[in-house]
Amino acid sequence: PGASTASSMMTTTGSFVGAASVVHEQQQRSVDDDKDIRKMSMVTAVEDKIRKQLRLMFDQAEIDMTHLRQNQTTLREGSDRIHHMMDDMGRMQTEAESNIDILTKKGSELQTVLRKLESESDTVNVDEAVLTTAPLYNQLLNLVSQDNAIDDTIYYLGEALRKNIITLDVFLKHVRELSRRQFIVRALTMKAQTVAGL
């Protein structure tokens, strides 16, 4: 009985120790599992945070790229406009230089003509400066000149009367005489125009 008790005790102690070691192993596994769960939870949280940061960075980079593409397009369009403007300005400069050359040549021609006219001005008769192609046109020119001269004379007679330089009787006498002459001049002008076909 003593040996069987001892054996039974040892079996009980062994099973108690075995059970304790199983419990201890389970507790250790539970602690290790908790540590693993916490570790995995932290890794997952860090991964999520990194993913969010990467997504934000990627989205911002995409927005920046879109802006850069738009700016590049705007700059290309501006560059094209500047090239067109430079071409236009080049053409305008060429035209301006050509016009300056032409004007310079014309200016020298005018200077030559002016010098020639100044040297001949003493010999030029003003009445001979205006020449017509036919005697009828000469007559028309003279008639129109006379008509305008009579108009001017009547105007200045009116001014003299207004300033009391001449009397009313003198004014009326000369205006009557000039009006008769102007009537004849205008009648001849109309007849010459009809004959000339003007």
Side-chain angles (χ1 to χ4, degrees):
S4 84
T5 305
S7 164
S8 144
M9 235 168 115
M10 276 188 86
T11 305
T12 306
T13 305
S15 48
F16 181 71
V17 170
S21 113
V22 167
V23 168
H24 179 66
E25 278 178 29
Q26 285 178 349
Q27 285 177 343
Q28 187 63 34
R29 234 184 273 136
S30 175
V31 167
D32 286 345
D33 285 347
D34 283 349
K35 284 182 182 177
D36 286 344
I37 289 170
R38 280 192 206 133
K39 185 177 178 182
M40 287 177 63
S41 175
M42 287 175 69
V43 166
T44 304
V46 168
E47 284 177 350
D48 287 345
K49 201 169 196 179
I50 290 173
R51 275 192 203 103
K52 284 179 185 176
Q53 288 296 325
L54 284 173
R55 192 174 304 119
L56 286 173
M57 288 172 62
F58 179 75
D59 290 344
Q60 186 61 41
E62 196 171 327
I63 290 169
D64 291 344
M65 285 298 290
T66 303
H67 286 301
L68 287 173
R69 283 189 198 105
Q70 290 172 348
N71 289 342
Q72 183 181 21
T73 304
T74 304
L75 288 172
R76 280 188 183 145
E77 290 170 358
S79 175
D80 290 344
R81 273 188 256 129
I82 288 172
H83 286 300
H84 288 302
M85 288 171 68
M86 297 270 294
D87 292 342
D88 290 344
M89 288 173 66
R91 280 193 294 275
M92 289 169 65
Q93 183 178 2
T94 305
E95 287 175 17
E97 288 170 356
S98 171
N99 289 338
I100 287 171
D101 290 341
I102 291 169
L103 287 173
T104 305
K105 288 176 186 173
K106 294 294 181 185
S108 4
E109 288 175 15
L110 281 173
Q111 290 296 330
T112 306
V113 170
L114 280 173
R115 275 188 238 111
K116 185 177 177 184
L117 284 175
E118 285 173 357
S119 67
E120 295 176 358
S121 66
D122 297 335
T123 60
V124 174
N125 184 355
V126 176
D127 292 330
E128 293 175 2
V130 179
L131 298 175
T132 58
T133 57
L136 181 61
Y137 295 136
N138 246 353
Q139 185 182 4
L140 262 172
L141 183 64
N142 287 333
L143 289 170
V144 170
S145 299
Q146 285 179 27
D147 187 25
N148 288 329
I150 292 170
D151 277 341
D152 290 344
T153 306
I154 292 172
Y155 170 78
Y156 285 110
L157 282 172
E159 288 295 305
L161 177 65
R162 190 178 62 80
K163 294 178 180 177
N164 290 326
I165 296 172
I166 60 171
T167 64
L168 181 61
D169 290 337
V170 173
F171 173 77
L172 289 174
K173 176 183 170 191
H174 286 293
V175 168
R176 222 175 288 128
E177 183 182 319
L178 289 169
S179 296
R180 277 191 211 111
R181 193 178 323 160
Q182 191 174 37
F183 176 78
I184 293 168
V185 166
R186 287 185 178 174
L188 287 172
T189 302
M190 289 174 68
K191 189 173 182 181
Q193 285 176 334
T194 305
V195 171
L198 299 175

